[in-house]
Amino acid sequence: MELSVNVYLHPGMSAVNPLILCKVSDIPQAPVTMVQKYQSPVRVYKNSFEMIMAAYQRRFPTCHLIPMFVGSDIMNEYKSEDGAVHVVERRCKLDVDAPRLLKKIAGVDYVYFIQKNSLNRRDRTLHIEAHNETFASRIVIHEYCCYTVHPDNDDWTCFEQSASLDIKSFFGFESTVEKIAMKQYTSNIKKGKEIIEYYLKQMEEEGITQLPRWTPAPKELQECQTSTSTHSVSPALNIPTITCTDGNSSRDGPPTSSSPPEALSSTPDDKLDADYIKRYLGDLTPLQESCLIRLRQWLQETHKGKIPKDEHILRFLRARDFNIDKSRELLCQSLTWRKQHQVDYLLNTWNPPQVLHDYYAGGWHHHDKDGRPLYVLRLGQMDTKGLVRALGEESLLRHVLSINEEGLRRCEENTNIFGRPISSWTCLVDLEGLNMRHLWRPGVKALLRIIEVVEANYPETLGRLLILRAPRVFPVLWTLVSPFIDENTRKKFLIYAGNDYQGPGGLIDYIDKEIIPDFLGGECLCEVSEGGLVPKALYRTPEELESEDIRLWTETIYQSASVFKGAPHEILIQIVDASSVITWDFDVCKGDIIFNIYHSKRAPQVPKRDTLGAHGITSPVCNNVQLIDKAWQLGRDYSMVESPLTCKEGESVQGSHVTRWPGFYILQWKFHNMPACATSSLPRVDDVLASLQVSSHKCKVMYYTEIIGSEDFRGSMTSLESSHSGFSQLSAATTSSSQSHSSSMVSR
């Protein structure tokens, strides 16, 4: 079975067994908290719920498939009169898999877990709750599992689980214990399904291939079943509330000191199943699956409307070795960048200049042996200086971005064509003709900038880079460029000098002979431009290029602003006609802020801008404007028209307000001070860490506002639809609608 078996019954949580070994009871310890969480995808059994339950019951009181599961004793049992509800609470005994010396130091031969199973045959659900009894004051382990009927097929069964490991203190061995626990935990998670399948096969050999669904029994039969129960009913055990949407469904489960790590409460459409992950995303370890699901859930909560596609989220996780915090930071920065520069629409809006068609020697060319899209770049034939002088850095960057966007599209297409996950492409770079003119400093600078942007926003998209016919000057270029390339990316580089690519271990190992380009000795005609020198008549002056660069790359409807402690950012909107609609869309790029809307009949004074000031920060685009005079009094000079909205870092917020009066409306983004702990004079660890993350008490927001006449706004005056932010090409729609109870609405 899944984690529920692995961990508590016979299991799995051998991963946590070493946690509970060192019983050095009288050593004073400093408080330490280390928390690990796990969230599974939905695992589907193509068997009926009744068959799965019959297989599940065969693992008790012990299971020979898991030697460490010594046995279990029933502590409490309850059966409803009609037989539909069956609640069993067991004490499970595990023989921990740990070095003998540790066992001797601990003075503990066995580890005990309490597991509570709540079966509802009428609803066809089984909820499992488990927690550790041994060393519960130092280590808290919780697991919540749920068996339900597949929403689209009554004859299939779904399994889902979540778990948390909270190491409060363990005699100074917290870090070691955590590593051992997670390593063993992941190695045992998948054993659960094998056990269920083993008992299903055993039942099939016995001729049991189908079991009837539960139906209410005659009254006299119910009384007979109740009177012949072999175990007494504990008065403390009430019938649990069993629903598919609550991972902690019983009132008599584990101690209430810890809530479920992840609620199993979203709709089936919001969840990922294991078969989908394997088909479209590849083979992931259980913890990698958990990281993907948890980051995806976070995005669904903070970026309502649309979120990036799963394969794109996975790329950012891989780029940061599945560290959720680092991946989330990198991904949020990228999503903000895409939104600000409208990269989602690049393939539809970017029309490459004729110079690129004629002299940019690069293009897509079939695919490699692994099914990855193949991009061919004849860098040695390109006049990098001429292209930069004729187009400017920004046009070249935009063209490279369009290539990457096309690569994402082709990866998705090839995934469907070849029937396996393809999330990256192969790049073949021919360096024949590379010489010192390619080391022109402005050209190298442009190349480094392009690499920086691509690395930050398209991680793990390069599956392999084949560099052919590298000349003697190549090491010089490589020395300049390699420090800006991620280490994981550099490992994918294969470099061939001269004609080495034609021999064993060369190009033929990665590309089918039939599609090797003709200019490399192959038989396939490659339609990539041959490049050549850009005529100097096409060169443009630095002034012309600078002017166009600004026009091209600042072509965005969004504005950026800095918010400081004590210096909010404010914008003024003048309303002439009452019942106009003010709409907004903003992203919190850094720090936490409070969003307010005020109304005033008086026009504020000339705004004060803080781009340098006491904060010592120079930024040509991130301004800080303050409109509300310090002498103004709230309630006399201006009034608040919406309740303050606290917005966390990474959130995307959209909303609208129907104005009641003409006059001046002020939208304010204010620095959010972390509240002090109400029950203690000492600051909380979370508060301290959060405050450290906001360097120099600075926040950043990116915003867009628009005024719409009430007759042009979709929706009523009391229930307005939010215009959700979206990430178009990278996004899979997650439909959601929010309505306000008043004349305005905010959705996140």
Side-chain angles (χ1 to χ4, degrees), residues 413-644:
E413 185 179 82
N414 285 16
T415 295
N416 295 324
I417 293 174
F418 293 100
R420 61 178 182 272
I422 295 173
S423 61
S424 60
W425 52 82
T426 293
C427 187
L428 187 156
V429 181
D430 180 22
L431 295 183
E432 186 182 47
L434 189 76
N435 53 45
M436 293 302 294
R437 66 183 170 87
H438 289 90
L439 301 180
W440 180 57
R441 185 170 180 178
V444 173
K445 177 184 175 184
L447 176 61
L448 295 179
R449 185 184 176 206
I450 290 172
I451 291 174
E452 182 180 10
V453 173
V454 171
E455 282 283 310
N457 298 284
Y458 301 91
E460 296 298 315
T461 53
L462 182 64
R464 184 179 294 117
L465 180 64
L466 302 171
I467 300 177
L468 310 183
R469 302 197 280 196
R472 293 182 178 180
V473 73
F474 174 72
V476 180
L477 181 62
W478 178 248
T479 301
L480 295 172
V481 172
S482 60
F484 295 88
I485 302 175
D486 181 75
E487 182 179 355
N488 291 333
T489 304
R490 290 202 301 267
K491 294 177 181 178
K492 302 170 184 177
F493 285 31
L494 296 173
I495 304 173
Y496 300 89
N499 294 322
D500 292 348
Y501 70 93
Q502 296 177 343
L507 202 57
I508 195 66
D509 285 9
Y510 305 102
I511 300 175
D512 289 330
K513 182 179 180 181
E514 296 77 17
I515 65 170
I516 293 179
D518 51 354
F519 63 85
L520 292 175
E523 302 175 357
C524 186
L525 178 63
C526 184
E527 298 180 356
V528 173
S529 170
E530 294 182 359
L533 294 175
V534 178
K536 291 187 177 181
L538 299 177
Y539 285 14
R540 301 161 78 181
T541 65
E543 291 76 14
E544 291 175 329
L545 292 176
E546 183 178 358
S547 174
E548 180 160 309
D549 286 350
I550 293 175
R551 182 183 64 81
L552 279 172
W553 210 234
T554 58
E555 187 179 325
T556 173
I557 61 176
Y558 291 90
Q559 300 182 54
S560 298
S562 296
V563 179
F564 304 96
K565 187 174 183 180
H569 178 70
E570 297 162 345
I571 63 173
L572 180 66
I573 298 177
Q574 184 174 2
I575 297 296
V576 178
D577 299 324
S579 297
S580 296
V581 181
I582 302 174
T583 66
W584 58 82
D585 179 351
F586 65 86
D587 293 310
V588 185
C589 306
K590 179 181 180 182
D592 299 341
I593 60 99
I594 298 176
F595 179 63
N596 290 303
I597 306 176
Y598 300 102
H599 172 264
S600 175
K601 296 180 181 179
R602 300 168 50 188
Q605 298 297 320
V606 178
K608 298 176 291 182
R609 293 182 177 270
D610 187 357
T611 55
L612 277 172
H615 303 285
I617 297 175
T618 305
S619 175
V621 293
C622 294
N623 293 319
N624 178 269
V625 180
Q626 299 164 45
L627 299 169
I628 300 177
D629 194 286
K630 292 183 179 180
W632 281 17
Q633 292 184 10
L634 184 63
R636 185 191 69 183
D637 300 290
Y638 66 107
S639 59
M640 182 180 292
V641 296
E642 288 283 355
S643 299

Side-chain angles (χ1 to χ4, degrees), residues 250-505:
S250 172
R251 295 188 293 267
D252 301 294
T256 57
S257 60
S258 175
S259 59
E262 301 287 350
L264 308 180
S265 59
S266 55
T267 63
D269 291 340
D270 294 331
K271 299 179 180 179
L272 299 180
D273 68 69
D275 293 336
Y276 163 83
I277 291 177
K278 186 173 183 180
R279 165 63 180 84
Y280 291 98
L281 304 179
D283 292 321
L284 304 179
T285 68
L287 285 186
Q288 289 174 346
E289 290 177 339
S290 176
C291 290
L292 172 62
I293 293 168
R294 290 168 58 199
L295 181 54
R296 187 175 183 268
Q297 288 175 342
W298 182 85
L299 287 168
Q300 286 175 328
E301 294 169 0
T302 57
H303 292 75
K304 295 293 186 182
K306 292 185 177 181
I307 64 171
K309 293 180 179 178
D310 299 320
E311 54 266 33
H312 199 63
I313 298 175
L314 187 58
R315 290 186 181 103
F316 282 84
L317 283 167
R318 284 176 170 150
R320 292 297 179 265
D321 295 325
F322 287 87
N323 182 303
I324 288 186
D325 291 335
K326 293 181 180 179
S327 303
R328 179 172 56 196
E329 179 182 4
L330 183 65
L331 178 56
C332 286
Q333 291 173 354
S334 179
L335 293 179
T336 301
W337 170 82
R338 295 182 68 87
K339 188 174 181 180
Q340 184 173 12
H341 299 297
Q342 303 177 64
V343 178
D344 289 332
Y345 309 103
L346 196 57
L347 288 179
N348 297 325
T349 59
W350 170 241
N351 186 19
Q354 190 61 39
V355 175
L356 284 172
H357 286 293
D358 296 338
Y359 299 101
Y360 189 87
W364 294 99
H365 179 76
H366 301 282
H367 56 80
D368 67 6
K369 287 187 175 181
D370 296 322
R372 297 189 184 102
L374 177 63
Y375 190 84
V376 175
L377 182 65
R378 303 185 68 178
L379 184 60
Q381 302 300 313
M382 278 204 322
D383 180 10
T384 53
K385 179 178 179 179
L387 289 172
V388 172
R389 292 290 301 274
L391 296 170
E393 291 183 25
E394 298 298 336
S395 288
L396 277 177
L397 173 58
R398 184 164 290 199
H399 186 62
V400 172
L401 296 182
S402 71
I403 293 171
N404 281 270
E405 291 296 304
E406 175 65 16
L408 295 177
R409 188 194 67 78
R410 287 175 178 259
C411 285
E412 187 174 349
E413 185 179 82
N414 285 16
T415 295
N416 295 324
I417 293 174
F418 293 100
R420 61 178 182 272
I422 295 173
S423 61
S424 60
W425 52 82
T426 293
C427 187
L428 187 156
V429 181
D430 180 22
L431 295 183
E432 186 182 47
L434 189 76
N435 53 45
M436 293 302 294
R437 66 183 170 87
H438 289 90
L439 301 180
W440 180 57
R441 185 170 180 178
V444 173
K445 177 184 175 184
L447 176 61
L448 295 179
R449 185 184 176 206
I450 290 172
I451 291 174
E452 182 180 10
V453 173
V454 171
E455 282 283 310
N457 298 284
Y458 301 91
E460 296 298 315
T461 53
L462 182 64
R464 184 179 294 117
L465 180 64
L466 302 171
I467 300 177
L468 310 183
R469 302 197 280 196
R472 293 182 178 180
V473 73
F474 174 72
V476 180
L477 181 62
W478 178 248
T479 301
L480 295 172
V481 172
S482 60
F484 295 88
I485 302 175
D486 181 75
E487 182 179 355
N488 291 333
T489 304
R490 290 202 301 267
K491 294 177 181 178
K492 302 170 184 177
F493 285 31
L494 296 173
I495 304 173
Y496 300 89
N499 294 322
D500 292 348
Y501 70 93
Q502 296 177 343

Side-chain angles (χ1 to χ4, degrees), residues 168 183 745:
K168 298 182 180 298
K183 181 178 179 180
M745 183 203 64

Side-chain angles (χ1 to χ4, degrees), residues 631-741:
W632 281 17
Q633 292 184 10
L634 184 63
R636 185 191 69 183
D637 300 290
Y638 66 107
S639 59
M640 182 180 292
V641 296
E642 288 283 355
S643 299
L645 179 67
T646 301
C647 308
K648 301 294 185 180
E649 180 175 330
E651 287 189 342
S652 179
V653 182
Q654 304 83 38
S656 55
H657 173 79
V658 180
T659 62
R660 297 182 180 179
W661 316 280
F664 301 93
Y665 286 81
I666 300 172
L667 273 58
Q668 180 192 75
W669 290 269
K670 180 181 177 182
F671 184 89
H672 176 50
N673 292 307
M674 297 298 294
C677 183
T679 59
S680 173
S681 59
L682 296 176
R684 297 184 304 168
V685 174
D686 290 345
D687 295 341
V688 174
L689 293 177
S691 65
L692 291 176
Q693 292 175 355
V694 184
S695 60
S696 304
H697 301 290
K698 177 183 177 182
C699 303
K700 289 184 179 180
V701 294
M702 186 180 73
Y703 64 90
Y704 165 73
T705 62
E706 185 177 0
I707 304 172
I708 305 175
S710 58
E711 67 278 3
D712 298 325
F713 193 81
R714 293 182 180 179
S716 67
M717 291 300 97
T718 58
S719 177
L720 302 178
E721 295 181 0
S722 171
S723 52
H724 295 290
S725 66
F727 302 101
S728 186
Q729 308 297 331
L730 284 180
S731 305
T734 55
T735 59
S736 62
S737 62
S738 302
Q739 295 184 339
S740 173
H741 62 277

